[in-house]
Amino acid sequence: LCARTIDGTVTLTDVIWEDNSSSRGSGGAILMWMDDDDMDEMELVDFAEIFGTLLIERNEFAGNKSLRSNGGAIYMDGDYQAPLRIEVNDSEFIYNEANSSGGAIALSGLYDEFILTNTDLTINEGRNGGAVYLASQLLFTGTFLDVSSNTARDAGGAFYASSSVMIDMEDVTIHGNRARNYYGGGIYATNFDATYPSRLERVSFKDNSSKLEGGGAHFRNVSNSTFQECLFEGNEAGSNSFGGGLYAD
């Protein structure tokens, strides 16, 4: 599915996405984006002149692949004048793979919110962000998630987040994920200034591993982060590395 929504909503309910692939671009199952050419044609200037939303309810994504790029199952890329919003509820992502980032989901420059609720992400693989990759100007809210046995070839076995991303997570299990070559077996987060705080409450990091620092989680250049009632158990950073559970720099 390729969605070029102009000021509208795409709603997907009770859909199964299985063994789909994108051989040239991003989004093995779903691609939704706005780009500079769209903005030029519509002569948009101000923030959020148009707005697109993707609503996903009770969907299953299994075995989808982005063979050359990002987002094994879903890829979304927004714009300042045309923010994109995504809500995923009661869904499952399993065995999805991206050649680049975001084994299951990759989102960039939405200028709005990604809400993920009551969803399992299991055995997905990408270069950065084995399950989920988040970058540039978005708010991520995750509740009641099971994120297990995902693999990043580089960093962020479960989640990879960089550059002005706000993270708010509650009641999430991050278990058995792996960053094969670099940092953050469970989460790798980097380059958030004080205006983009991270809050994690009742998040369980268990049996995650990384080759370098941060077996459970690695937070680098993150100005404002809070961990409340979280569990770090059995996580491991590689030999001669620091922060088996949490590494913050």
Side-chain angles (χ1 to χ4, degrees):
L1 172 65
C2 177
R4 304 290 301 277
T5 300
I6 306 297
D7 233 7
T9 298
V10 176
T11 301
L12 304 168
T13 305
D14 297 314
V15 182
I16 296 174
W17 310 81
E18 186 173 357
D19 295 333
N20 301 285
S21 65
S22 172
S23 60
R24 296 184 60 184
S26 298
I30 297 173
L31 168 65
M32 185 172 179
W33 89 107
M34 298 295 293
D35 61 24
D36 292 338
D37 291 338
D38 298 319
M39 304 304 103
D40 293 341
E41 290 176 8
M42 290 180 283
E43 299 182 351
L44 301 181
V45 177
D46 296 326
F47 174 70
E49 288 194 52
I50 62 175
F51 192 90
T53 301
L54 177 62
L55 302 178
I56 295 174
E57 187 87 18
R58 298 187 304 276
N59 280 212
E60 179 182 336
F61 296 83
N64 301 286
K65 295 183 179 181
S66 176
L67 299 176
R68 294 188 180 182
S69 197
N70 306 299
I74 299 173
Y75 178 78
M76 294 179 66
D77 189 357
D79 187 272
Y80 177 78
Q81 290 91 8
L84 295 177
R85 177 187 181 91
I86 175 173
E87 297 184 24
V88 180
N89 302 305
D90 300 310
S91 296
E92 181 179 10
F93 296 79
I94 186 169
Y95 291 117
N96 301 285
E97 184 176 350
N99 181 62
S100 190
S101 297
I105 300 170
L107 309 175
S108 179
L110 298 189
Y111 288 90
D112 202 80
E113 191 168 16
F114 170 34
I115 300 174
L116 185 62
T117 307
N118 291 322
T119 293
D120 296 342
L121 301 105
T122 309
I123 320 176
N124 303 286
E125 182 172 338
R127 186 180 69 197
N128 289 309
V132 177
Y133 174 88
L134 308 170
S136 302
Q137 304 294 338
L138 66 93
L139 167 62
F140 169 57
T141 301
T143 54
F144 300 106
L145 309 178
D146 185 349
V147 190
S148 304
S149 303
N150 301 284
T151 299
R153 293 184 293 278
D154 286 347
F159 293 95
Y160 183 106
S162 70
S163 303
S164 303
V165 175
M166 188 181 297
I167 297 174
D168 195 326
M169 301 175 71
E170 287 188 11
D171 301 300
V172 175
T173 60
I174 301 175
H175 291 183
N177 303 283
R178 180 186 179 195
R180 190 181 298 159
N181 293 319
Y182 291 107
Y183 312 101
I187 296 177
Y188 178 76
T190 183
N191 294 330
F192 305 168
D193 65 27
T195 61
Y196 289 88
S198 298
R199 186 185 73 90
L200 292 84
E201 184 171 350
R202 296 186 300 278
V203 177
S204 172
F205 296 84
K206 186 175 180 180
D207 298 330
N208 303 287
S209 65
S210 60
K211 184 174 183 179
L212 300 178
E213 282 75 20
H218 185 124
F219 279 61
R220 172 174 290 180
N221 298 327
V222 177
S223 299
N224 186 359
S225 57
T226 302
F227 292 81
Q228 183 175 348
E229 298 181 47
C230 293
L231 170 69
F232 290 84
E233 181 180 352
N235 303 286
E236 182 178 358
S239 59
N240 300 318
S241 295
F242 302 100
L246 170 65
Y247 181 89
D249 182 6

